[in-house]
Amino acid sequence: QMASTNKKFVQNIAFLLLLNGLIKPFWIFGIDRTVQNTVAEGEYGVYFGLFNLAFLLHILLDFGINNYNNRTIAQNPSLIDHYLPSLLMVKLGLTFLYVAICFLVAYFLNYDAFQLKLLGFLMLNQIFLSFILYFRSNLSALHLFRQDSIISILDRSLMIVFCSGLLWWISAPFQIIWFVYVQTIGYFLTAIFAGFLVFRQINNFSINWKKDWLLQLLKESYPFALIGLLMSIYNRLDGLMIKELLGSDGPAETTIYAAGYRILEAFNMVGYLFAIILLPMFSRLIKGKR
């Protein structure tokens, strides 16, 4: 049994690394870098600072639900009928909280109309991404690793196609808002497809709003939320601080910082990919006491 588990792990992690190794580096160093070098000076810095703000508060969209759901469904696959519709409603409520707090922070930071527009679409991107990650937590929990691997690169693949057309086939000067629009389309289409794959796995759609269940959910998911919040602050707060603290020089300096951060982001991808497969596999092994 252990040999079979090891073989399954090696096959799936190799497939996941292969797909992401082909797509993610090209997105980071081919598309994202080209956009930074193409747009007007400082525009990418504004985008990067606002992206960090939207990403920093993304834990409000998740609150540890994805990791908790991944562990729970991996140990008890039959619970997906009960958890999927109920947690979707919980995430919808968290979405309204996320939007309210993001715009509240933007109000205190005195963002202009363009920054608010950019932030609005970046928030929408985080919302779509949150649902994608939730759907992927179900796929990996059910050990549908091939489907999860395809979803992991689908959004970036779509963005590469759309953004390549805008960068190299359109003569008009590239605008940073186009870059955000492309991400919105890619995330939206991927969320629809990921949701379709997950809903195929459930037999009975029922929503549970029992108070005891919701309190238990929050109790068991908050450690994941706390870890996520602390790591988001550690990794993303600096980009926002550079933009806000340096005044008129903020966007330009943030652009320079983003170029270096891109390398760190690329290396962090490998560890994250291993965790995607290891968490549900270990959870099921622990449940089976193997």
Side-chain angles (χ1 to χ4, degrees):
Q1 183 67 37
M2 185 57 69
S4 175
T5 300
N6 292 340
K7 181 180 179 181
K8 184 178 182 180
F9 168 73
V10 172
Q11 289 176 341
N12 286 293
I13 193 63
F15 184 66
L16 184 63
L17 288 172
L18 175 63
L19 290 182
N20 283 268
L22 291 173
I23 299 298
K24 297 293 178 66
F26 183 75
W27 166 260
I28 294 173
F29 297 107
I31 300 298
D32 190 61
R33 178 178 175 273
T34 302
V35 169
Q36 180 177 354
N37 294 333
T38 302
V39 297
E41 183 180 5
E43 274 195 11
Y44 191 90
V46 173
Y47 157 80
F48 188 73
L50 294 176
F51 172 82
N52 282 341
L53 172 59
F55 186 87
L56 185 63
L57 296 173
H58 89 287
I59 193 60
L60 296 172
L61 294 167
D62 176 16
F63 204 78
I65 288 175
N66 291 347
N67 286 329
Y68 169 74
N69 178 75
N70 187 266
R71 184 194 66 184
T72 304
I73 300 301
Q75 294 179 341
N76 302 281
S78 62
L79 287 178
I80 190 172
D81 286 358
H82 163 62
Y83 271 56
L84 179 63
S86 300
L87 289 180
L88 283 176
M89 294 298 102
V90 172
K91 289 182 70 67
L92 185 61
L94 293 174
T95 296
F96 288 106
L97 177 64
Y98 169 76
V99 171
I101 293 181
C102 279
F103 277 126
L104 183 63
V105 173
Y107 171 78
F108 283 109
L109 292 176
N110 295 316
Y111 285 162
D112 58 29
F114 174 75
Q115 288 179 317
L116 286 175
K117 179 181 179 181
L118 200 61
L119 178 61
F121 277 97
L122 288 170
M123 289 160 48
L124 186 60
N125 293 349
Q126 289 299 316
I127 292 169
F128 288 146
L129 179 59
S130 172
F131 280 95
I132 292 171
L133 294 176
Y134 173 66
F135 291 137
R136 287 184 60 193
S137 75
N138 285 283
L139 292 173
S140 61
L142 296 172
H143 285 203
L144 300 174
F145 294 120
R146 294 300 176 97
Q147 295 183 21
D148 177 62
S149 298
I150 293 172
I151 295 299
S152 74
I153 55 92
L154 180 59
D155 52 356
R156 291 292 191 271
S157 299
L158 292 171
M159 294 174 198
I160 287 172
V161 172
F162 298 145
C163 214
S164 296
L166 292 174
L167 282 169
W168 294 301
W169 299 337
I170 302 297
S171 58
F174 191 89
Q175 301 177 37
I176 195 64
I177 192 68
W178 294 357
F179 187 50
V180 179
Y181 290 159
V182 164
Q183 294 178 48
T184 303
I185 296 171
Y187 284 136
F188 173 73
L189 294 177
T190 303
I192 295 297
F193 183 63
F196 168 75
L197 293 178
V198 172
F199 273 91
R200 291 172 58 190
Q201 305 302 319
I202 67 173
N203 300 311
N204 181 29
F205 193 95
S206 61
I207 299 175
N208 183 1
W209 281 108
K210 293 181 180 179
K211 180 180 179 181
D212 293 341
W213 180 80
L214 290 174
L215 291 176
Q216 183 67 20
L217 169 67
L218 295 176
K219 180 181 178 181
E220 295 193 24
S221 64
Y222 89 86
F224 297 108
L226 181 60
I227 293 173
L229 175 62
L230 294 176
M231 291 307 299
S232 295
I233 293 174
Y234 178 76
N235 285 310
R236 293 292 180 176
L237 187 60
D238 42 8
L240 178 62
M241 290 177 64
I242 293 172
K243 173 182 175 296
E244 298 302 328
L245 294 177
L246 296 183
S248 60
D249 294 331
E253 296 299 327
T254 305
T255 301
I256 297 172
Y257 176 83
Y261 189 87
R262 186 178 292 116
I263 299 174
L264 174 64
E265 190 174 26
F267 279 105
N268 283 342
M269 178 185 70
V270 178
Y272 174 72
L273 295 177
F274 270 85
I276 289 174
I277 291 182
L278 287 175
L279 178 59
M281 291 189 73
F282 283 167
S283 297
R284 187 165 294 185
L285 288 171
I286 291 172
K287 175 67 175 180
K289 297 181 180 179
R290 301 193 184 111

